[in-house]
């Protein structure tokens, strides 16, 4: 993780991992404080700011990622292109672009805001809870991917029909359909009516 002003104060010099802080918000998305990442996800969960990115190729196919098996939360499941949490004080748009590059090794050639969605999704496998105020972004990817294997186990570009088939056959993140459905108007605007999204 890069050291930023938001994390420098909590970086450890004794060889342990630095504490990662999330931005806690109220129901309208106003910042009300911070919490350590894991504690914010322990049941019943604390409402915090997050983002979800949906990138498409020039054929209108959605880029999915299968989360690496080493992830503490929702390992090995399919999910949207990229998701995560802004550092406290970091703009969601900047966080989405930063994290997409960190995880996939590419910068979106286009990235646009697609609204927000608030949800509460427990993860039955880990017992953790996604209590999130999520900022949505849609865009295009036109460069070869260079996924970080510590973050991503596999990637796939899928059509709507291929997504439906994969969703029936493989596990997906608890939040995936919620964020996709919320982003659909912006996805349709980006991909056009022929895209089928």
């Amino acid at each position: 993780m890069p050291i930023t002003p938001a994390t420098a104060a909590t970086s450890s010099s004794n060889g342990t991992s630095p504490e990662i802080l999330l931005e806690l918000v109220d129901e309208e998305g106003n910042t009300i404080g911070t919490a350590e990442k894991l504690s914010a996800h322990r049941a019943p969960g604390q409402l915090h700011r997050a983002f979800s990115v949906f990138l498409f190729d020039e054929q209108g196919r959605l880029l999915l990622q299968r989360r690496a098996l080493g992830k503490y939360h929702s390992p090995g499941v399919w999910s949207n292109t990229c998701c995560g949490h802004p550092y406290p004080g970091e703009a969601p748009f900047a966080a989405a672009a930063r994290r997409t590059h960190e995880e996939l090794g590419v910068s979106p050639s286009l990235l646009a805001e697609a609204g927000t969605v608030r949800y509460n999704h427990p993860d039955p496998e880990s017992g953790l809870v996604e209590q999130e105020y999520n900022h949505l972004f849609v865009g295009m990817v036109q460069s070869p991917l260079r996924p970080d294997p510590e973050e991503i186990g596999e990637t796939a570009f899928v059509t709507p029909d291929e997504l439906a088939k994969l969703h029936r056959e493989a596990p997906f993140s608890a939040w995936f359909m919620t964020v996709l459905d919320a982003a659909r108007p912006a996805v349709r605007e980006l991909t056009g009516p022929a895209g089928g999204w």
Side-chain angles (χ1 to χ4, degrees), residues 154-174:
E154 188 177 351
T155 60
F157 283 95
V158 296
T159 66
D161 288 344
E162 290 166 341
L163 173 60
K165 183 176 187 294
L166 184 61
H167 196 257
R168 288 191 301 270
E169 298 172 353
F172 271 72
S173 63

Side-chain angles (χ1 to χ4, degrees), residues 11-89:
S11 296
S12 174
S13 60
N14 64 5
T16 60
S17 296
E19 182 180 65
I20 298 173
L21 295 178
L22 305 186
E23 199 169 82
L24 300 180
V25 298
D26 63 18
E27 293 292 338
E28 285 75 47
N30 301 305
T31 303
I32 58 171
T34 60
E36 189 276 324
K37 183 178 179 180
L38 186 56
S39 69
H41 288 88
R42 287 197 180 108
Q46 294 175 278
L47 183 59
H48 58 273
R49 194 176 309 284
F51 63 82
S52 289
V53 177
F54 297 86
L55 296 183
F56 294 81
D57 67 8
E58 292 174 341
Q59 289 76 49
R61 299 177 302 170
L62 171 61
L63 174 58
L64 298 178
Q65 67 157 280
R66 187 172 59 81
R67 294 165 63 86
L69 293 174
K71 302 277 279 186
Y72 80 92
H73 190 346
S74 302
V77 302
W78 287 96
S79 198
N80 49 294
T81 307
C82 181
C83 55
H85 309 93
Y87 296 132

